Amino acid sequence: MEVVDILVVDDEPGIRSGVTRILRNFTVSYPFLEDDIGFNVIEAATGEEAIDIIKRSSPAIVLLDNKLPGIQGVEVLQFINQNHPDILVMMITSYASLELAVRATNIGTYDFVPKPFTPQELKSSIENITKHYFLRRMTRKLHREGKQVRFQFLTVLSHELKAPLNAVEGYLKMMQEKQAGESIDSYMDFIDRSLARIQSMRNLIMDLLDLTHIESGKRQRTLREIDLTLVARSAIETMTPLAIQRDVNLSLQTTEPVIMLADSDDMEILFNNLISNAVKYNKPGGWVKCSISKTASEVTLVVSDSGIGIEPEDIPKLFQEFTRIKNPQSKNVTGSGLGLSIVKRVVDLYGARIDVQSEPGAGSTFTITFPLPGSDTLNDGI
């Protein structure tokens, strides 16, 4: 049996000894684990003592109370995040609040469990965090062996889903405990935020399905002559409510039909992702323009915007999975970070090329050029 060190940081001796008793003979097993995992519990009564222990022994998991004498649990969490990012942290506190949960999650907490908790609740949380510990360790092992891509993908995916799930759980617990009173109207903001988080997870799942289908080559593609102008107009109509909400003007510069042999779902993916990004990363009073043109040898699709723009060094990163370019102006923009990587894969399917021109603060232009049948650069897979 493998034994994992868990540091429990709490100024209440009863909590520390209770965690020790609960986990003393507790083991975790999963079908993909060769051996069961047991736990060696280390106790600390203060944040300062916890940091000293972490410096000496670097436990795998830390159960961390926030309300501590001296430095607070959030400060310990910041120390761990900055100096020992491999340590997984679960906050345990009787001072449960949405603000603390969100703050702790943003800093790097894996989970958030309010006191008092039952032995079964603690065991369930430990099972979840131990599973994540194992997957993270396996990712590092596969990285050393040069086979890390798939597990890295899954690790990032779990992170992308964890934050909205934690937030929704926090909202539901506040409603369950009626922290804002008896009236349902007091909780409408929590409900709206939860629905927004659930929608972001649904979008991520749909993006993952698109990416998986494209990469596996198993998605059925029906090639036929389609009018790209109609596809673009449909995408603009879909994005119009969001554009109105963000005070962004959407326009299609092309009025005549532009016919191309393609799969309609592929083209919808391209237009929806490019136009959606152009709206989301824009400014109030901004604009998005879409145009399509055709020559004897190629079709060109252009989406331009007056948005926040992209730094030159960030442009090569745009088409990587889960890439979210760091920009203070876009910190509140939600997204999976998969949209442009999906666009790039669709572009590759058609032997096309994509070009990005951007200036920080002045907007971006995405240009996709498709070779037409008879062109030397046409992908044989079409």
Side-chain angles (χ1 to χ4, degrees):
M1 181 178 68
E2 179 181 353
V3 177
V4 170
D5 285 341
I6 291 184
L7 172 62
V8 53
V9 187
D10 198 299
D11 60 331
E12 299 180 44
I15 294 293
R16 298 197 307 273
S17 62
V19 171
T20 300
R21 287 195 305 271
I22 293 170
L23 299 183
R24 180 178 295 136
N25 297 315
F26 179 61
T27 59
V28 171
S29 61
Y30 293 102
F32 51 75
L33 289 179
E34 294 181 0
D35 298 310
D36 289 352
I37 294 180
F39 304 96
N40 174 49
V41 180
I42 307 167
E43 300 181 18
T46 66
E48 290 84 354
E49 183 182 354
I51 288 176
D52 287 340
I53 293 172
I54 291 168
K55 287 179 179 178
R56 293 196 309 267
S57 61
S58 189
I61 299 168
V62 173
L63 308 185
L64 180 61
D65 187 14
N66 183 58
K67 196 68 175 179
L68 296 169
I71 66 172
Q72 298 300 289
V74 169
E75 296 174 80
V76 178
L77 177 60
Q78 289 172 328
F79 169 81
I80 293 172
N81 191 46
Q82 293 169 4
N83 299 281
H84 299 270
D86 288 340
I87 294 177
L88 294 171
V89 180
M90 181 167 65
M91 297 293 290
I92 49 170
T93 175
S94 56
Y95 292 82
S97 69
L98 175 63
E99 291 75 20
L100 177 59
V102 171
R103 183 183 176 192
T105 299
N106 289 338
I107 296 174
T109 299
Y110 175 78
D111 202 357
F112 187 90
V113 180
K115 294 186 291 187
F117 48 80
T118 66
Q120 187 54 46
E121 287 172 337
L122 178 63
K123 289 178 180 179
S124 178
S125 296
I126 291 298
E127 283 186 359
N128 290 333
I129 201 169
T130 302
K131 180 179 179 181
H132 189 75
Y133 159 78
F134 174 83
L135 289 174
R136 181 181 286 185
R137 188 183 65 183
M138 183 61 84
T139 300
R140 290 196 296 268
K141 179 181 178 182
L142 290 170
H143 181 78
R144 291 193 298 268
E145 295 175 354
K147 300 177 182 178
Q148 86 284 8
V149 176
R150 185 175 300 276
F151 275 82
Q152 183 179 16
F153 183 86
L154 292 174
T155 301
V156 177
L157 171 61
S158 67
H159 173 77
E160 291 292 325
L161 290 173
K162 177 193 69 177
L165 282 172
N166 284 349
V168 171
E169 183 181 31
Y171 296 135
L172 290 174
K173 285 182 177 179
M174 292 185 70
M175 296 170 66
Q176 184 183 51
E177 297 168 5
K178 299 182 179 180
Q179 294 185 21
E182 297 290 334
S183 173
I184 186 64
D185 293 337
S186 303
Y187 299 95
M188 292 309 295
D189 185 48
F190 301 151
I191 294 172
D192 290 341
R193 293 185 186 186
S194 296
L195 290 172
R197 293 289 188 135
I198 291 171
Q199 181 61 47
S200 71
M201 287 189 286
R202 181 181 290 111
N203 292 340
L204 171 57
I205 291 169
M206 297 306 295
D207 284 346
L208 282 169
L209 288 173
D210 283 340
L211 185 61
T212 302
H213 289 158
I214 291 169
E215 292 210 324
S216 68
K218 294 180 179 179
R219 183 169 69 87
Q220 294 296 321
R221 300 171 64 229
T222 303
L223 299 178
R224 59 185 178 86
E225 289 190 342
I226 61 173
D227 183 358
L228 295 182
T229 303
L230 291 179
V231 180
R233 186 174 294 124
S234 175
I236 286 175
E237 290 174 356
T238 300
M239 294 301 149
T240 294
L242 178 62
I244 293 173
Q245 179 184 341
R246 293 178 176 269
D247 189 21
V248 174
N249 180 61
L250 276 174
S251 65
L252 177 60
Q253 307 295 298
T254 305
T255 57
E256 297 298 322
V258 177
I259 307 301
M260 188 177 101
L261 185 68
D263 179 86
S264 59
D265 289 342
D266 288 344
M267 296 303 104
E268 286 181 11
I269 287 172
L270 293 183
F271 282 107
N272 286 338
N273 277 291
L274 291 178
I275 294 173
S276 172
N277 278 355
V279 172
K280 290 192 296 185
Y281 294 97
N282 220 304
K283 310 168 188 173
W287 50 263
V288 176
K289 298 176 182 179
C290 177
S291 66
I292 312 161
S293 60
K294 184 177 182 180
T295 67
S297 61
E298 60 188 24
V299 170
T300 303
L301 183 164
V302 180
V303 176
S304 300
D305 65 66
S306 61
I308 62 177
I310 308 162
E311 295 290 344
E313 62 270 21
D314 288 329
I315 290 178
K317 308 173 188 175
L318 286 175
F319 303 105
Q320 300 172 4
E321 287 90 352
F322 294 108
T323 294
R324 300 289 304 281
I325 303 302
K326 294 182 179 180
N327 188 316
Q329 295 175 275
S330 63
K331 62 182 180 180
N332 294 322
V333 177
T334 61
S336 67
L338 289 173
L340 288 179
S341 65
I342 294 171
V343 166
K344 181 63 168 62
R345 280 157 176 76
V346 172
V347 166
D348 290 344
L349 283 175
Y350 287 79
R353 63 182 184 273
I354 184 167
D355 176 71
V356 183
Q357 300 293 324
S358 186
E359 181 180 344
S364 305
T365 297
F366 286 75
T367 303
I368 300 177
T369 306
F370 298 91
L372 291 175
S375 170
D376 291 339
T377 58
L378 185 64
N379 190 302
D380 292 336
I382 294 296

